[in-house]
Amino acid sequence: MKIAVLGTGGGARSHIAKLLELGHEVAVGTRDPQATLARTEPDMMGNPPFRQFLAEHPGVTLLTFGEAAATADGPVINGIDGHNAVAALTPIAGALADKTLIDYAVPFVYQHDSEHPWPTPWGVMPKLDPCDTDSLGERIQRALPDTKVVKSFVTQEQATVVDPQSVGDGDHTMFVAGDHADAKRRATELLKSYGWRDVLDLGPLVCARGMEMYAHLHSAIGFGLGQQFGGHFGIKVVR
Amino acid sequence: MKIAVLGTGGGARSHIAKLLELGHEVAVGTRDPQATLARTEPDMMGNPPFRQFLAEHPGVTLLTFGEAAATADGPVINGIDGHNAVAALTPIAGALADKTLIDYAVPFVYQHDSEHPWPTPWGVMPKLDPCDTDSLGERIQRALPDTKVVKSFVTQEQATVVDPQSVGDGDHTMFVAGDHADAKRRATELLKSYGWRDVLDLGPLVCARGMEMYAHLHSAIGFGLGQQFGGHFGIKVVR
């Protein structure tokens, strides 16, 4: 399939590498491809410059957000950080029309000071906006009414989303939520190709609230396990 | 041990019955014992009148909140609903001084209309107050500075908290959080006597935010499993 990944951060890179490994054609979207290629320093999260990642992953096409989305005949994965996602996606609504957009962003509020490095230090609870009575997933769906938004991948680090076997032999649970059954089916098929055996459909997109708000408990569990930024664990729904 | 349970709802009854079975002396606190005993109708959640429960569970003492708390030489379990907990507990701060208070309340906002029956219909997301930047557990701790508050039991129905074996042979995870290590140890011992094998200490009481906010994902998982009000499942931290 032709799959588009929007974003060049660590989570996006996990998906790009895995999708290539699975034999898909991958177009990566960024705000300004020339600026992305020009960077020579690690990004805010310490990832190496993206051009180094591209050199190590031949076959990836780097385009603008809209151009990358337009190439997709399979799902588009939104790896744009939660703070910027609605603003970045709204102008490319046309390119995303009728497509399945899988969104894993958590709407962390940026706190750019020494006590609160970006986006939140591990063990200190993030602040979320929206929260409780709305979710980023629902906001994106409202901004893109012709797109089929699926909220998924949210409850784990993307490195374990693309490699579920690396935690507890893969015996844990991934969630999907959305208002379009065919899009959820597509997201579930992608997850199964990643190796997921237990994908639970929570129902309508309103359930994105629970997935995003779980970020607090996820942070706390990582803290409790003594894991620093980038926890390596999953949760299994035992029933 | 002499254990006090504050509240007479379904969750409180689960603990009362289990504690009696384990051989503890149980004092139950209610706002107005005479009024509680006078009730002949099921409560809002459909539980039979409390006097029927008392008749079926001989040995339980029914007292006011403060009197019940004063009897405890072991933990006090807060089963007062989240909406009323701070107001009900603040006046009995003296009786709770130096004691371990285990709080499992979720601060649901009441929505008394036909579309939003009390406290929230299954499948429709609850609204929480406080949320994200504060938690009910922290509010209770601030209201009772001489009490050792432990947030726990929150992430499951109380019927499965007291009977973890009833779900997946007990192979799931319970969480504790709080600012007092000795109180968390006491809560963990109680949980082990209930049959819990995996009790994860998340750290300080700020982690109560994650436990309370998990109510959304918990509701959604119940919805996804097709379970109506009162889900019968657990989550296991796979690491």
Side-chain angles (χ1 to χ4, degrees):
Chain A
M1 271 189 298
K2 294 179 181 175
I3 297 182
V5 178
L6 308 182
T8 58
R13 295 181 197 193
S14 292
H15 288 281
I16 297 163
K18 182 68 175 185
L19 292 165
L20 286 173
E21 188 189 311
L22 292 171
H24 297 291
E25 286 182 47
V26 184
V28 176
T30 188
R31 188 178 310 272
D32 178 345
Q34 292 317 310
T36 298
L37 290 171
R39 259 176 231 128
T40 57
E41 300 293 314
D43 70 13
M44 277 185 293
M45 301 301 287
N47 298 301
F50 195 70
R51 67 184 195 185
Q52 179 180 327
F53 176 85
L54 280 180
E56 292 161 2
H57 296 84
V60 175
T61 316
L62 186 67
L63 301 167
T64 64
F65 288 135
E67 288 165 350
T71 67
D73 62 12
V76 179
I77 297 175
N78 176 37
I80 304 170
D81 67 85
H83 192 67
N84 294 311
V86 171
L89 294 171
T90 304
I92 64 163
L96 287 164
D98 297 324
K99 296 193 175 170
T100 293
L101 180 69
I102 304 174
D103 171 48
Y104 65 78
V106 177
F108 289 124
V109 172
Y110 286 67
Q111 295 179 300
H112 275 296
D113 61 65
S114 58
E115 207 186 330
H116 301 98
W118 181 89
T120 178
W122 207 246
V124 173
M125 300 295 109
K127 180 168 162 41
L128 303 176
D129 180 21
C131 183
D132 195 30
T133 56
D134 196 6
S135 65
L136 180 63
E138 292 164 273
R139 279 199 182 167
I140 292 174
Q141 182 66 85
R142 290 197 300 271
L144 307 171
D146 297 330
T147 300
K148 297 172 177 180
V149 175
V150 178
K151 194 89 197 186
S152 189
F153 308 174
V154 195
T155 48
Q156 293 194 282
E157 277 66 29
Q158 301 311 305
T160 54
V161 169
V162 304
D163 187 13
Q165 292 300 121
S166 67
V167 172
D169 272 337
D171 188 21
H172 43 135
T173 306
M174 179 50 60
F175 307 100
V176 296
D179 296 332
H180 302 275
D182 57 330
K184 286 194 282 194
R185 208 158 42 235
R186 250 169 252 129
T188 301
E189 279 161 20
L190 182 64
L191 284 162
K192 299 220 158 165
S193 76
Y194 283 176
W196 285 92
R197 300 192 300 270
D198 187 25
V199 179
L200 184 60
D201 182 353
L202 298 179
L205 193 58
V206 69
C207 295
R209 298 177 194 179
M211 278 192 255
E212 295 174 9
M213 291 167 74
Y214 168 75
H216 277 256
L217 186 57
H218 183 83
S219 292
I221 292 170
F223 191 59
L225 293 175
Q227 297 180 352
Q228 294 308 306
F229 187 78
H232 192 67
F233 61 91
I235 53 168
K236 176 184 176 179
V237 175
V238 178
R239 64 276 205 185
Chain B
M1 270 189 299
K2 294 180 180 174
I3 297 181
V5 178
L6 308 182
T8 58
R13 295 181 198 193
S14 292
H15 288 281
I16 297 163
K18 182 69 176 184
L19 291 166
L20 286 174
E21 189 189 310
L22 292 172
H24 297 292
E25 286 182 47
V26 185
V28 176
T30 188
R31 189 178 311 271
D32 177 344
Q34 293 316 312
T36 297
L37 290 170
R39 259 175 232 128
T40 56
E41 298 294 312
D43 70 14
M44 278 185 292
M45 300 302 286
N47 299 300
F50 194 70
R51 67 183 197 187
Q52 180 181 327
F53 177 85
L54 279 180
E56 291 161 2
H57 295 83
V60 175
T61 317
L62 186 67
L63 300 167
T64 64
F65 288 135
E67 289 165 351
T71 67
D73 60 12
V76 179
I77 296 176
N78 176 36
I80 304 169
D81 66 86
H83 191 68
N84 294 312
V86 172
L89 294 171
T90 304
I92 63 162
L96 287 165
D98 299 321
K99 297 193 175 171
T100 294
L101 180 70
I102 305 173
D103 171 48
Y104 64 79
V106 177
F108 289 125
V109 172
Y110 286 67
Q111 295 180 301
H112 274 297
D113 60 66
S114 57
E115 206 185 330
H116 302 97
W118 182 89
T120 178
W122 207 246
V124 172
M125 300 296 108
K127 181 168 161 41
L128 303 177
D129 181 22
C131 184
D132 195 30
T133 56
D134 196 7
S135 65
L136 180 62
E138 292 164 273
R139 279 200 182 168
I140 292 174
Q141 182 65 86
R142 290 196 301 271
L144 306 172
D146 298 328
T147 301
K148 297 173 178 181
V149 175
V150 178
K151 195 88 197 187
S152 189
F153 308 174
V154 194
T155 48
Q156 293 195 283
E157 276 66 30
Q158 300 313 305
T160 54
V161 170
V162 303
D163 188 13
Q165 293 298 123
S166 67
V167 172
D169 272 336
D171 188 21
H172 43 134
T173 306
M174 178 52 58
F175 307 100
V176 296
D179 295 333
H180 302 274
D182 57 330
K184 285 195 282 194
R185 207 158 42 233
R186 250 168 252 129
T188 301
E189 279 161 20
L190 182 65
L191 284 162
K192 298 220 158 164
S193 76
Y194 283 175
W196 285 92
R197 301 191 300 269
D198 187 25
V199 179
L200 183 61
D201 182 353
L202 298 178
L205 193 59
V206 68
C207 296
R209 297 177 195 180
M211 278 192 255
E212 295 174 9
M213 290 166 74
Y214 169 75
H216 276 256
L217 186 57
H218 182 84
S219 292
I221 292 170
F223 191 59
L225 294 175
Q227 297 181 351
Q228 293 308 306
F229 186 80
H232 193 67
F233 61 90
I235 54 167
K236 176 185 175 179
V237 175
V238 178
R239 66 272 206 187

